[in-house]
Amino acid sequence: MIDFTLTEQQRNIRELAHDFAQKEIRPVAWEYDRDATWPEQIIRKAWDVGLMNSQLPEKYGGAEASYVDGVLIGEELAWGCAAIGTTLGTNELAAAPVLLGGSEKIKAEFLGMLTEEPKLASFCLTEPDAGSDVSAMRTTAVRRGDKYVINGSKVFISNGGYADWYTVYAKTDKDAGHRGISAFVVPRDDTVIVDKHEDKMGLRASNTAGISFNETEVPAENLLGDENHGFKLAMMTLDRTRPGVAAMATGIARAAFEFATEYSKQRVQFGVPIAMHQAIQFMIADMATEIEAARLLAWQSAVLLDQGRRNTLQSSHAKRFAADAAMKVATDAVQIYGGYGFIKDYPVEKLMRDAKIMQLYEGTSQIQRLVIAREILLPRQVDEPAVERQLAAA
Ligand code: COS
């Protein structure tokens, strides 16, 4: 049987996230967007009520929330503000490879750090010359005795300027392509330099930094999984986090849709509210359908994860569709507002700018299509639980 009814516990989680978005995020979202304000107070409050790190296992201080819970939270927080939603969700992205490949000691130390205090962690994969093409990364990690020494620069790192530790991908074998990448957990120290805080088109209250590692030493035990298995760890991480991005995109789309629908009932042109014009009704109808479809794809990709099944295909379906839907819905919301949609006195231009990043981060819409095409034309046979066991045992 297929049943899309949420359980009472899921409804409660969604309500908690919605109330938080309504009371704590929405009132400051547009001001924080204008000034690119770091949402420090909101981080503390979200951490206090359990809206951060919720998916971490109980033994490391998390709430062991399901992936479905994660997408419910993600949609509501992004409905409040996608920049603040991203800020609150980034710990789960950084934590995923640690959960997949870290030893018990490493998990207890680094995941525990996030749940004991409102600390932040970042995921460092992208480099100036290695965006979609992960294998082109140049950061290196060289083994010296019982340590690895990391050198290189990462860009577009969410929360990078404020993180206490980083999941860092680096080449341990420069000539082996994707099979020469390893993942490490790297505490912040004096050798970790925040090069730059990006001034962005949208998602402005989120911190996006350039980070460089300069002879950064980490103990060999900070290697996640086996040496040279980092690429798979990154892909498995993205399978787990792209449903959350799809949910956030759905949240942006829903916010734009609600504003535009309300506006269409108030704005009078040709003697009637513009909602009476079929041209507007059709736009509103299409927006509503796109949002429903985006949400269901996000839920499906999360359900598979909760069932312990591989979701690469569904994760990319969800991320691609929801991101493109958010961009279209937010653009149409601006269209419904007409000229007013284009000015900052009205709420929807921010949503259009925020929607754009959904088509870019955690894999562009083109990369999602590449993954989808490969999964259809050349399906990979991966025994993922076995991969996870192997990683966990390493
Ligand atoms: N889970 C587990 N393993 C995976 C996997 C997944 N989802 N996807 C690929 N792999 C494995 C493959 O099975 C293959 O394994 P072998 O080495 O045993 O053959 C290996 O990884 C390489 O896969 P593939 O040939 O598909 O790699 P490509 O270099 O062609 O890259 C894309 C694949 C383009 C999909 C990948 O680089 C990607 O996702 N890029 C976007 C990165 C991104 O999202 N960046 C955003 C910043 S992170 S916030």
Side-chain angles (χ1 to χ4, degrees), residues 134-187:
V134 173
S135 307
M137 71 172 58
R138 292 197 195 145
T139 295
T140 56
V142 176
R143 177 109 191 204
R144 273 190 217 143
D146 58 357
K147 291 191 166 71
Y148 282 92
V149 182
I150 301 176
N151 280 290
S153 295
K154 300 287 178 178
V155 288
F156 305 152
I157 307 305
S158 295
N159 292 356
Y162 296 90
D164 284 286
W165 58 264
Y166 303 86
T167 316
V168 180
Y169 295 83
K171 283 271 168 83
T172 31
D173 182 345
K174 278 194 253 181
D175 304 319
H178 72 266
R179 292 188 181 144
I181 294 171
S182 302
F184 301 88
V185 57
V186 179

Side-chain angles (χ1 to χ4, degrees), residues 126 132 178-179 232 235 239 242 312 362-363 374 380:
T126 302
S132 296
H178 72 266
R179 292 188 181 144
K232 284 189 190 176
M235 294 302 117
D239 285 351
R242 285 173 179 159
T312 306
E362 292 206 30
R374 281 191 193 175
R380 280 179 309 112

